[in-house]
Amino acid sequence: MSAVESSQSRPHVTSDPNHPPPPHVQFQSQHSQQNGFSNVFMNARQSSSSASPVIDGWDDSGLSAGGSSASSCGDMLDDGSLPPLDPFEGHLPTCTADDIFAPIAARSKSAFPDLPTLAPAPNSSPLQPSPLQSSSPSFVEFTPKKSRQTLLSHFARVLSHLLVFRDDPENPFTHFILPMALRSQVVLNAILALSTAHMEHRGLENEERSLDLHSKAISGLSNLIAGGDKTNRDEVLAVIMLLVYYEVVRGGSSAILHSHLKGALSIMKARHLGQSPTGLFLEKAYRYFDVICALSFGTTPFSGSVPPQPKEGVSLDLNAISAVDNLFGLMTDLWPLVHRIATLLEKKTQIDSEAHMNPDKANAMRADLEANTSNIALALYQWQPKLPGSLLVTDVSADDSKVQSIISNAEAYRQACLVYLFRTIHCHPRKSPKVQTHTKHALQACLRVIIFTGPMSTLLWPLFTAACEAIEDVDKNVARTVFQHLESRQGMQNIVFASHVAEEVWRRQDLGQEVDWRQVANERGLSTVLG
């Protein structure tokens, strides 16, 4: 999750520790009083009838008004179990320029870039060293090997900035995790494995293979766990979460990721030591992947059906960026809802299995699920990101764009959650206006994220969830555009896998086949974590 600006095409990578950083545009201190953020955010959601459509055909003309095609899920829940679609019930809005580029505060834009050829911002490459790392060491103190110093430089100056929302000196990966590698060979091996895997995906060769470094990290982790209570809790969690990120970069399987997450949870439960800032960050990373893996693989979060409440409050600083969580962006208080949504599919499956053997129990479970989904849907319609009452807007477009992008990322999750509820849990047909309304809004929000060139690390799940339900060519092309920019920016195999699955779903749709994306992923061996 990086605030380093995105590039349209994959640039040449140089991970030289001595490579000078590009000039850094500091966040200016100019404050502009705006209306309350609630009103501003709702204005950003509204479309403008005066602007011409950015993409021809992005409207409701191709949708089935009734959405009456048969659902493969059956009719477990009726349409009345959820509150009305507010404010979108009964129609699909036309996508205009203001829909795509809707800013926080109204400002005129004279021209917009063509969607397939978004121009990169000046001096904006995620593969250039971060300006905040200008005083970084040469990593000699970590290892005498030049090749490994290069890998550490890539981790500190490139990869760590792709994994956070705020590009500041206290990046948790360099502030908390990297220093641990000075005293822990296992943490060092895990960092080297992750960095090598990321460079390999980008076509860069190294003296050591990521698989070999990964094997060393796994072996070291086993020794750490065998040490019992004598082992540093944060050290073990750091290694596990680095290995989780390694699987993300390589598009790892559910079995491996589940094994890592189970191990992390057992460590967190068994070793109740004083919670350090490092430990809090690692547990937050666990909460993210626990939910994302459940949504990706159709399982339930290992931490249970009751989501932990966020511990962080809204920053009192007037700077909007300071209210952004480094791992969750503006979704800190949305994440408990996403956690609850991740538990629904397994409950629905249990109801289906009980229906023939114990109808009374199944009916009771069904009523409970109806109430649960109704409450979640209502909460999603009412949810808004929390920012300080006075929203900072500067004259520097890059700063403003970063905030716009982070807000759009949160909106993409809100809309994708509604897509998931209607399509996966309530089993509405793909052509249902309820599904297509939120599919379009989710894709619009994903597109705004890349247009505003903000952090993109958490974008894959909402993008993929909406893309697989797209039925119009214009929506599919928007999804393709976002997939392309997301992979170019992040450089991770799971994005490639997700894009291939979406394309196959669309191909079978064109042949008249109603297919679930999980079936396609399993058939193609492309099941991967969507985070």
Side-chain angles (χ1 to χ4, degrees):
M1 309 170 202
S2 171
V4 182
E5 300 297 330
S6 174
S7 174
Q8 176 190 359
S9 60
R10 181 178 302 167
H12 177 67
V13 182
T14 57
S15 293
D16 182 0
N18 299 316
H19 186 78
H24 180 52
V25 179
Q26 297 291 340
F27 212 88
Q28 299 187 1
S29 60
Q30 300 169 325
H31 290 70
S32 175
Q33 288 293 109
Q34 305 294 326
N35 294 329
F37 180 71
S38 175
N39 294 333
V40 174
F41 183 74
M42 291 306 295
N43 289 338
R45 287 183 182 168
Q46 295 175 356
S47 61
S48 171
S49 59
S50 61
S52 60
V54 173
I55 311 173
D56 284 342
W58 199 339
D59 55 28
D60 59 347
S61 59
L63 297 177
S64 169
S68 58
S69 59
S71 169
S72 60
C73 300
D75 54 356
M76 180 189 67
L77 302 174
D78 58 34
D79 291 350
S81 62
L82 286 177
L85 283 174
D86 181 20
F88 309 120
E89 179 72 62
H91 73 284
L92 297 178
T94 299
C95 179
T96 66
D98 286 347
D99 289 323
I100 302 299
F101 295 90
I104 300 172
R107 60 171 60 188
S108 62
K109 293 181 181 289
S110 58
F112 305 107
D114 292 333
L115 295 178
T117 56
L118 295 174
N123 298 323
S124 64
S125 168
L127 299 182
Q128 292 175 343
S130 164
L132 297 171
Q133 296 291 336
S134 59
S135 60
S136 293
S138 60
F139 302 101
V140 174
E141 63 270 41
F142 289 83
T143 174
K145 295 184 64 173
K146 289 291 184 66
S147 61
R148 290 191 168 191
Q149 292 170 21
T150 299
L151 292 174
L152 289 171
S153 176
H154 182 77
F155 176 81
R157 302 186 179 196
V158 178
L159 187 53
S160 66
H161 299 283
L162 297 176
L163 305 178
V164 294
F165 272 92
R166 296 202 321 265
D167 192 11
D168 55 38
E170 296 189 357
N171 181 313
F173 288 95
T174 54
H175 193 67
F176 296 136
I177 307 303
L178 187 57
M180 297 175 68
L182 280 170
R183 59 184 183 273
S184 171
Q185 184 64 41
V186 187
V187 173
L188 177 61
N189 286 335
I191 290 175
L192 294 173
L194 172 58
S195 185
T196 306
H198 189 250
M199 295 179 72
E200 287 174 350
H201 180 74
R202 293 188 176 276
L204 300 173
E205 295 183 357
N206 302 281
E207 288 186 10
E208 298 174 275
R209 298 189 312 159
S210 62
L211 287 174
D212 296 332
L213 292 165
H214 177 261
S215 297
K216 293 179 180 179
I218 290 291
S219 177
L221 176 61
S222 298
N223 293 333
L224 287 179
I225 294 175
D229 292 336
K230 296 180 181 179
T231 304
N232 183 284
R233 172 182 182 269
D234 290 349
E235 181 183 4
V236 177
L237 285 179
V239 174
I240 293 176
M241 296 315 301
L242 286 168
L243 293 175
V244 168
Y245 279 105
Y246 173 89
E247 296 300 330
V248 170
V249 171
R250 290 183 59 87
S253 67
S254 61
I256 297 175
L257 284 161
H258 285 165
S259 175
H260 288 326
L261 292 175
K262 287 180 180 178
L265 184 61
S266 65
I267 294 296
M268 289 189 292
K269 287 183 175 180
R271 304 181 186 182
H272 294 288
L273 304 178
Q275 286 192 320
S276 65
T278 301
L280 291 174
F281 162 70
L282 291 168
E283 290 189 12
K284 189 189 301 181
Y286 173 85
R287 293 204 309 271
Y288 170 76
F289 279 109
D290 187 33
V291 171
I292 284 296
C293 284
L295 291 170
S296 302
F297 304 122
T299 57
T300 293
F302 291 112
S303 55
S305 59
V306 180
Q309 294 301 309
K311 298 179 182 179
E312 299 79 10
V314 177
S315 171
L316 298 178
D317 194 319
L318 291 179
N319 188 326
I321 293 297
S322 68
V324 175
D325 182 87
N326 247 327
L327 286 183
F328 290 105
L330 292 174
M331 301 184 296
T332 300
D333 61 334
L334 177 66
W335 206 249
L337 273 178
V338 183
H339 186 121
R340 289 173 61 188
I341 289 170
T343 68
L344 297 179
L345 183 58
E346 186 168 284
K347 293 178 180 179
K348 177 179 176 295
T349 303
Q350 292 173 354
I351 293 173
D352 294 339
S353 63
E354 291 284 350
H356 299 292
M357 300 179 60
N358 194 338
D360 291 339
K361 181 179 179 180
N363 289 334
M365 294 172 63
R366 185 176 294 114
D368 180 69
L369 182 62
E370 284 193 31
N372 197 7
T373 54
S374 295
N375 291 334
I376 291 174
L378 182 60
L380 287 171
Y381 284 122
Q382 295 175 341
W383 181 84
Q384 297 174 14
K386 291 182 179 178
L387 278 179
S390 297
L391 186 64
L392 175 68
V393 178
T394 75
D395 292 333
V396 181
S397 60
D399 294 339
D400 188 27
S401 293
K402 184 189 301 182
V403 179
Q404 311 278 0
S405 179
I406 294 171
I407 290 174
S408 296
N409 185 90
E411 177 67 1
Y413 265 86
R414 189 181 78 93
Q415 295 291 343
C417 284
L418 289 165
V419 172
Y420 185 90
L421 279 180
F422 285 124
R423 182 74 174 117
T424 304
I425 305 302
H426 279 235
C427 297
H428 289 297
R430 182 173 279 111
K431 290 186 177 181
S432 165
K434 288 186 176 181
V435 174
Q436 288 303 306
T437 294
H438 297 295
T439 292
K440 288 176 177 290
H441 280 289
L443 291 174
Q444 290 173 25
C446 290
L447 187 59
R448 288 196 298 269
V449 171
I450 67 166
I451 287 173
F452 290 124
T453 61
M456 304 179 189
S457 179
T458 65
L459 191 62
L460 184 56
W461 182 77
L463 169 62
F464 180 80
T465 299
C468 287
E469 306 308 333
I471 58 176
E472 297 181 4
D473 287 342
V474 64
D475 297 331
K476 296 174 185 178
N477 287 333
V478 167
R480 289 187 180 103
T481 298
V482 181
F483 273 123
Q484 174 190 346
H485 284 264
L486 182 61
E487 200 283 324
S488 177
R489 167 67 175 272
Q490 299 297 115
M492 299 180 183
Q493 188 65 39
N494 65 332
I495 301 169
V496 177
F497 285 176
S499 177
H500 289 341
V501 171
E503 290 284 354
E504 179 61 16
V505 169
W506 297 335
R507 188 187 70 82
R508 297 192 188 186
Q509 285 179 20
D510 293 341
L511 296 176
Q513 301 176 14
E514 188 72 15
V515 62
D516 180 77
W517 67 261
R518 286 191 174 87
Q519 176 186 343
V520 173
N522 291 332
E523 290 175 358
R524 294 298 184 93
L526 297 177
S527 294
T528 189
V529 60
L530 302 169

